Amino acid sequence: MPLSDPRFIALCDWIARTLGDDAKVMLISGDASFRRYFRVFHRQASFIAMDSPPEMVPVQPFIALANEYQRQGLSAPLVIAEDIESGFLLLSDLGDLQLLSVLDEANVNAYYQQALYLLDKVVAITAAGGESLPIYDDEFVLRELRIFCEWLVEHHLKIVIDRPTKALLDETFSLLVANVAEQPKAGMHRDYHSRNLMLVEENLAVIDFQDAVIGPITYDAVSLLRDCYVRWPDAIVDPLRMQHYQQLLSLGLISKEVSFQQYCRWFDLMGIQRHLKAAGIFCRLNYRDGKLGYMQDIPLTLEYVVDIGKHYPELDSFTQWITDTILPRMSLQS
């Protein structure tokens, strides 16, 4: 790291005071926010240091949720030391092995079954640090969907949203908002996918949970099974959806009156909402935050929207607009 980086210098000073002058600090990566992560080596041990500018991303929600995830029996980073005012945390080291890096068609079913069973504990987390988690309500959903319009449609593709297009988007977004409102609510990780699950001695550990909310019961499952970074055949996904449906029944989060077909509709429309949001966020990360790598993930998110949308007649006009207007402009931009 450059010696002119004042936050890095301050972080190193804090680590030296916390562990000792012989601690070595090495950048690992940033993430999809303003946080940065470093690996810290001290004698025979290693740790993870988080640098989270407090005016951008306060660390208190992470601390509260990390503690709550631990209390619920989930493997998650342990907060070892903290400097809340500076936005520095020292965490246990869960290693470098993201689940995504080991997945193939031979093992994905077993790993995803394990990941889905972890959601039985995630749904129980509706408060942290003595405060209820935010509610993923109608306005929350619309705010996320508007990211797609602002950053992908208008900023990236330079498409002017005229009155007929706005009417189409309003109609589609209303359908997606209603789908969220229909579902029972529970604790929700909100970014539960193969890059946020770490493999630690064949067991899964959960990271990047600081944006957790109380929200619809299908959100985390669709985030996992229709991952923005990898797509699996329906022959793999469909039995896993049934597993999650059975889990929800066992937990009492849905009643037997909720058919599997109803669950699948909730799941599919929830996925479309998430993929539209993700496509917009990937553009925002590129243009606002200078994180270029996420642009390559947009085609898969839009592919999901078109392929799943085709199963719902009420989305015909919207999926046709994506196909006729958005995808050709995306191809020209690539």
Side-chain angles (χ1 to χ4, degrees):
M1 296 295 297
L3 294 178
S4 59
D5 183 339
R7 287 199 61 82
F8 178 66
I9 295 169
L11 175 68
C12 289
D13 288 345
W14 176 70
I15 290 172
R17 294 195 304 274
T18 303
L19 294 177
D21 291 336
D22 54 342
K24 307 297 183 187
V25 184
M26 180 182 70
L27 177 68
I28 303 173
S29 68
D31 66 6
S33 76
F34 297 97
R35 291 179 295 264
R36 294 185 299 179
Y37 294 90
F38 301 82
R39 180 159 278 114
V40 179
F41 299 96
H42 183 244
R43 299 174 186 170
Q44 302 303 313
S46 68
F47 308 89
I48 299 298
M50 178 196 292
D51 168 19
S52 185
E55 70 279 7
M56 299 289 191
V57 190
V59 296
Q60 292 94 324
F62 182 95
I63 296 169
L65 280 158
N67 292 337
E68 192 61 37
Y69 268 56
Q70 294 277 349
R71 275 194 289 271
Q72 288 294 335
L74 289 156
S75 180
L78 180 67
V79 179
I80 296 167
E82 60 193 54
D83 180 343
I84 292 175
E85 184 177 342
S86 299
F88 299 147
L89 297 180
L90 193 66
L91 310 170
S92 58
D93 189 351
L94 299 176
D96 289 320
L97 197 57
Q98 291 179 332
L99 179 59
L100 178 62
S101 69
V102 304
L103 288 176
D104 57 37
E105 291 200 8
N107 65 24
V108 63
N109 187 68
Y111 281 128
Y112 274 18
Q113 284 182 342
Q114 185 182 344
L116 287 173
Y117 283 127
L118 292 182
L119 290 179
D120 288 358
K121 297 179 179 179
V122 172
V123 296
I125 300 171
T126 57
E131 296 186 6
S132 177
L133 297 185
I135 305 296
Y136 194 75
D137 58 14
D138 293 2
E139 183 50 43
F140 206 133
V141 179
L142 278 174
R143 188 163 63 246
E144 291 191 335
L145 287 166
R146 291 184 190 120
I147 297 170
F148 169 78
C149 296
E150 179 182 354
W151 288 97
L152 188 143
V153 179
E154 297 178 315
H155 193 94
H156 179 57
L157 298 181
K158 311 299 184 188
I159 293 173
V160 175
I161 298 177
D162 57 21
R163 188 172 298 176
T165 303
K166 184 179 185 305
L168 173 64
L169 290 169
D170 287 347
E171 180 182 1
T172 302
F173 291 177
S174 293
L175 176 70
L176 298 177
V177 168
N179 178 65
V180 171
E182 286 175 14
Q183 298 182 47
K185 306 300 187 292
M188 188 176 106
H189 178 286
R190 201 169 154 229
D191 208 13
Y192 196 75
H193 56 71
S194 60
R195 287 184 177 176
N196 285 337
L197 293 167
M198 307 301 292
L199 198 56
V200 184
E201 297 178 351
E202 288 303 304
N203 293 313
L204 295 179
V206 185
I207 63 171
D208 210 14
F209 40 71
Q210 60 279 341
D211 295 322
V213 296
I214 298 171
I217 52 173
T218 61
Y219 191 102
D220 284 340
V222 79
S223 300
L224 177 74
L225 301 182
R226 293 204 175 124
D227 196 321
C228 291
Y229 308 110
V230 60
R231 184 167 183 174
W232 303 103
D234 290 347
I236 290 175
V237 172
D238 288 349
L240 291 164
R241 284 201 301 179
M242 175 58 79
Q243 174 189 322
H244 186 244
Y245 171 71
Q246 295 291 344
Q247 287 176 231
L248 294 175
L249 285 171
S250 297
L251 291 169
L253 287 172
I254 56 174
S255 69
K256 293 180 179 179
E257 283 68 41
V258 176
S259 67
F260 182 58
Q261 290 72 25
Q262 176 64 68
Y263 165 87
C264 287
R265 177 183 170 84
W266 285 345
F267 181 98
D268 286 346
L269 296 183
M270 191 74 260
I272 288 175
Q273 187 273 339
R274 174 171 165 76
H275 290 120
L276 291 172
K277 176 200 76 168
I281 286 177
F282 293 156
C283 286
R284 187 173 72 183
L285 286 166
N286 178 60
Y287 290 106
R288 189 190 70 181
D289 304 334
K291 298 180 179 181
L292 313 183
Y294 292 93
M295 295 299 288
Q296 67 188 10
D297 300 309
I298 293 175
L300 177 56
T301 66
L302 296 180
E303 178 185 301
Y304 277 125
V305 170
V306 171
D307 291 350
I308 304 305
K310 288 176 180 176
H311 297 291
Y312 296 91
E314 58 268 53
L315 288 172
D316 281 349
S317 296
F318 179 72
T319 53
Q320 199 63 50
W321 176 72
I322 296 286
T323 301
D324 294 344
T325 302
I326 300 300
L327 294 181
R329 295 285 281 269
M330 287 295 301
S331 297
L332 290 174
Q333 293 279 1
S334 61

